[in-house]
Amino acid sequence: MNQPEINTSVFNRLRVVLVETSRAGNIGAVARAMKTMGFSDLVLVNPRFPDALADPEAVAFASGAQDVLEGARIVGDFQQALDGCNFAAAVSARLREFSPPVWTPRAFAGHVQAQAELRPAVVFGNERFGLPNQIVERCNVLINIPANPDYSSLNLAQAAQVVAYECRVAAEPGTAAAGPVGFHGDSASLAQVDGMYAHLEEALVAIDFLDADNPKKLMPRLRRLFSRTQLETEEVNILRGIARQILKTTKR
């Protein structure tokens, strides 16, 4: 049986990002959940205590997954956590008015498995407060785990285990779940998409379509609209070209 190339295997492409985690034990438990499913790329954004990766509670809860902790990185902001990624999925039980498209873990796993050029990040929030809206809005999709509507609370490690499990199942020959229609070109990086939104916002202000002092919800709505398309690099370049021409015309 042919093995997947190391650079295209989902086990080498998927990153788990934990944002402002409050308990060291939860970091260790997530590391354990990742390792049992074959994943190892873990990034922490501003954990709320010092020496998060070496904390005795984290090590104890990792229960044999110390190598995942040792290879993990701590960064100061969300943008750094996504360095090298071109697709991000926020995991939340709470749906948002301006969230990106809502997928199940199975749909996400199938999409990631089918698109070998994707370098995805799965993003989990603080245990108590979850993810802030501004982070959710910057992600391509929101993963909502189907659960008992009367008691849908999963702890951090359980949620990570569910997503990692679905990604592993999708990677097994003959069991991949079908995801949404994917890219035909190179998918745009999150940094490229953010740059496009900033450029587009500048152009909309220049033609008085957007009031910079009273923007209301226009940009979040545009983010939601474009997130449903799964932008490719060339498409981002086209949109930035339009914004550039608008700005050029208004300055004449």
Side-chain angles (χ1 to χ4, degrees), residues 86-101:
N86 59 9
F87 191 86
V91 180
S92 178
R94 180 166 59 91
L95 303 181
R96 324 294 173 97
E97 181 182 3
F98 295 106
S99 82

Side-chain angles (χ1 to χ4, degrees), residues 106 109-114 166-179:
R106 188 161 300 172
H111 184 67
V112 168
Q113 175 61 21
E166 290 290 355
C167 289
R168 183 174 188 86
V169 169
E172 295 294 329
T175 63

Side-chain angles (χ1 to χ4, degrees), residues 124-207:
F124 299 87
N126 174 268
E127 299 92 327
R128 182 177 178 185
F129 302 107
L131 287 168
N133 288 336
Q134 59 266 33
I135 286 183
V136 173
E137 290 170 3
R138 290 180 63 188
C139 292
N140 300 91
V141 298
L142 186 151
I143 295 177
N144 185 258
I145 299 173
N148 178 0
D150 296 323
Y151 188 70
S152 60
S153 177
L154 292 172
N155 70 33
L156 183 57
Q158 288 173 332
Q161 186 82 72
V162 169
V163 177
Y165 167 78
E166 290 290 355
C167 289
R168 183 174 188 86
V169 169
E172 295 294 329
T175 63
V181 176
F183 305 115
H184 296 288
D186 293 333
S187 53
S189 71
L190 296 172
Q192 289 172 326
V193 172
D194 280 344
M196 181 271 291
Y197 284 126
H199 205 170
L200 184 59
E201 182 174 5
E202 183 183 359
L204 294 175
V205 170
I207 60 173

Side-chain angles (χ1 to χ4, degrees), residues 75-90:
V75 298
D77 59 53
F78 184 58
Q79 187 62 45
Q80 288 178 286
L82 297 183
D83 184 37
C85 294
N86 59 9
F87 191 86

